[in-house]
Amino acid sequence: MQSRHSAPRTGRPRSAAADAAILAATRAALVELGWSKLTLGDVATRAGVAKTTLYRRWAGKNELVVDAVAALFDELELPDRGSLAADIEGVVLQFAAILARPEAKSGLMAVLAESTRDDALRERIRASIVDRQKRLVLEGRVRAQARGELPPEENPESAARTADLIFDVVAGAVVHRTLVSAEPVDLTWAHAFTQVLLLGLAGAANQA
Amino acid sequence: MQSRHSAPRTGRPRSAAADAAILAATRAALVELGWSKLTLGDVATRAGVAKTTLYRRWAGKNELVVDAVAALFDELELPDRGSLAADIEGVVLQFAAILARPEAKSGLMAVLAESTRDDALRERIRASIVDRQKRLVLEGRVRAQARGELPPEENPESAARTADLIFDVVAGAVVHRTLVSAEPVDLTWAHAFTQVLLLGLAGAANQA
DNA sequence: ACCTTTCGCTACGAGTCGTAGCGTAACTGT
DNA sequence: ACAGTTACGCTACGACTCGTAGCGAAAGGT
């Protein structure tokens, strides 16, 4: 991430191990303490680095937690289960499994809350977390079109709007179920949800 | 809320005006500062009360913000627009209008984040905010059944599961659209969303 | 009048924040 | 090998917030 400005070629390089240790320590602190009681000094101690090192790399708590949580979403990928319905179910379960982890819950929601007052933070979240999920929606559609389960899109503009709608519905429902309702996203729920979504989209396409 | 233990009949009564001033000051502080930079001392100053008064009534920042945000959801009600689809659209737009306010965004998300590590807080949120929304789903179904738009439920258990699913999808999608995608819930979106939801539910009911 | 509870105010130790300064460590180009 | 450059660990610091305690005064009930 910080290689946006090509790294300086001279001087002592930043320790990649320290980066990993800090992010791991941040996640551990999120699990034990939650967002509000997490202190940067504590994270530094857990990671075995000096507090100043932490401040040299991240501007503050928000940015640090975004990076720590973003790593959790690296494992997200679109499984090929043979049908569009099964693919969606797989993604829902995968996403839910990540959200079930306490560090993901408390960390992600807290930075989202802060992002309402900080556009730069929202952009960081979008780039490192949200877009990674959105990509799955687009890939899933392409794959379903290749299978012949979906017609090729006629109007690219309305296709983009539909993709956005799907994304908000899927991610929103899973997050709400996990976080607000505090009930598990199990096979039963994922199946019922997927069915409603697919039939709704099919019906809307027929009516249009 | 604090009348759970019937108020003591003797001594100086608590000032109701102070309660209102504190909650209003909390919302104002949320707008200006956001969650993380909101301090109880600042809220007390804004409300014109002593900091100690604040601590006598609320255990901490979490509980205070929950009450302050909960008041925003008092205006939620189910409009009678003639059809199930129109009713749902109305609720979606109403809910979105509340969520669009900055104090609702930052406050609600922050306490939700904290509630992942505090069961008592989650219960408080559920009682004072979430259930008020959920009630609308149940009322909407009853009204639609009276209109003949929905069949009377056969299995009360599956009916409860369906209501939970609807609730998570509606609330989740609106929250995600507003907060994560950071795009407005306008008439176009609300209409498209409602159509997908209703057609999906109808299709799922036919297949069952 | 008397009792009870709340209120505003002040003061306090404890903890966190983010930064500065310093000497040392690690790596690069000549 | 050596000088230049950057990262690191450590310590110390003022500023701020936290949550609580103690006090006298205010506001109500009986």
Side-chain angles (χ1 to χ4, degrees):
Chain A
M1 292 298 155
Q2 59 269 43
S3 63
R4 221 171 302 166
H5 322 285
S6 56
R9 43 174 58 77
T10 171
R12 175 178 178 173
R14 287 194 171 171
S15 159
D19 253 58
I22 290 171
L23 293 177
T26 303
R27 286 187 289 270
L30 275 176
V31 173
E32 287 181 32
L33 307 172
W35 163 267
S36 63
K37 293 185 179 175
L38 179 151
T39 70
L40 295 194
D42 183 47
V43 170
T45 304
R46 287 168 188 259
V49 302
K51 193 173 58 163
T52 44
T53 298
L54 224 156
Y55 277 102
R56 287 189 188 105
R57 305 193 184 193
W58 285 277
K61 200 162 143 176
N62 292 335
E63 291 76 8
L64 172 62
V65 171
V66 170
D67 285 5
V69 172
L72 295 176
F73 290 85
D74 280 343
E75 60 194 60
L76 263 183
E77 53 183 21
L78 187 65
D80 195 334
R81 297 182 162 204
S83 75
L84 177 56
D87 283 2
I88 294 183
E89 246 183 80
V91 169
V92 165
L93 290 172
Q94 241 185 99
F95 184 43
I98 295 177
L99 267 189
R101 301 167 76 169
E103 66 270 34
K105 286 192 217 179
S106 48
L108 182 59
M109 296 302 283
V111 294
L112 281 178
E114 289 303 311
S115 76
T116 64
R117 302 202 38 78
D118 183 341
D119 290 337
L121 183 62
R122 165 176 296 134
E123 214 36 57
R124 195 187 184 99
I125 295 173
R126 190 194 305 274
S128 57
I129 300 181
V130 178
D131 282 351
R132 200 164 288 151
Q133 303 165 37
K134 201 163 191 170
R135 188 175 39 81
L136 299 182
V137 172
L138 302 175
E139 284 180 12
R141 176 160 61 186
V142 170
R143 187 180 294 174
Q145 285 171 341
R147 284 200 196 102
E149 292 177 294
L150 287 179
E153 53 226 43
E154 307 158 0
N155 183 354
E157 197 176 324
S158 87
R161 267 203 307 274
T162 303
D164 284 348
L165 177 62
I166 295 174
F167 179 56
D168 283 328
V169 171
V170 172
V174 173
V175 168
H176 199 275
R177 168 89 176 171
T178 303
L179 242 108
V180 181
S181 300
E183 283 172 37
V185 173
D186 52 16
L187 284 172
T188 305
W189 190 89
H191 190 71
F193 169 71
T194 302
Q195 203 163 23
V196 168
L197 177 65
L198 279 180
L199 292 172
L201 291 170
N206 286 343
Q207 280 203 352
Chain B
M1 290 303 152
Q2 58 270 42
S3 64
R4 221 170 305 167
H5 322 283
S6 57
R9 42 173 61 77
T10 173
R12 175 177 179 175
R14 284 194 172 172
S15 159
D19 253 57
I22 291 171
L23 293 177
T26 303
R27 286 187 288 270
L30 274 175
V31 173
E32 286 182 32
L33 309 171
W35 162 267
S36 62
K37 292 184 180 175
L38 179 150
T39 70
L40 295 195
D42 184 47
V43 170
T45 303
R46 286 168 189 260
V49 301
K51 192 174 58 164
T52 44
T53 298
L54 224 155
Y55 276 104
R56 288 188 190 105
R57 305 191 184 193
W58 285 277
K61 200 162 144 177
N62 292 335
E63 291 78 8
L64 173 62
V65 171
V66 169
D67 286 6
V69 172
L72 296 175
F73 290 86
D74 281 343
E75 60 195 60
L76 263 183
E77 54 184 21
L78 188 64
D80 194 335
R81 298 184 160 199
S83 75
L84 176 57
D87 283 1
I88 294 181
E89 245 182 82
V91 170
V92 164
L93 290 172
Q94 241 185 99
F95 184 44
I98 295 178
L99 267 189
R101 302 167 76 168
E103 66 270 35
K105 285 191 217 176
S106 49
L108 183 59
M109 296 303 282
V111 293
L112 280 178
E114 290 301 312
S115 76
T116 63
R117 302 202 40 76
D118 183 341
D119 290 335
L121 183 63
R122 164 175 296 137
E123 213 37 56
R124 193 188 186 98
I125 295 172
R126 188 195 304 275
S128 57
I129 300 180
V130 178
D131 281 351
R132 198 164 289 154
Q133 303 166 36
K134 201 164 191 171
R135 187 174 41 79
L136 300 183
V137 172
L138 302 176
E139 283 179 13
R141 175 160 62 185
V142 170
R143 186 180 292 174
Q145 284 170 342
R147 284 200 194 100
E149 291 177 296
L150 287 181
E153 53 225 42
E154 306 158 1
N155 183 355
E157 198 175 323
S158 88
R161 267 204 306 274
T162 304
D164 285 348
L165 177 61
I166 294 173
F167 179 57
D168 283 328
V169 170
V170 173
V174 173
V175 168
H176 198 275
R177 169 89 176 171
T178 304
L179 241 108
V180 181
S181 299
E183 284 174 36
V185 173
D186 52 16
L187 283 171
T188 306
W189 191 89
H191 189 72
F193 169 71
T194 302
Q195 203 163 22
V196 168
L197 177 64
L198 278 180
L199 292 172
L201 291 171
N206 285 342
Q207 280 205 350

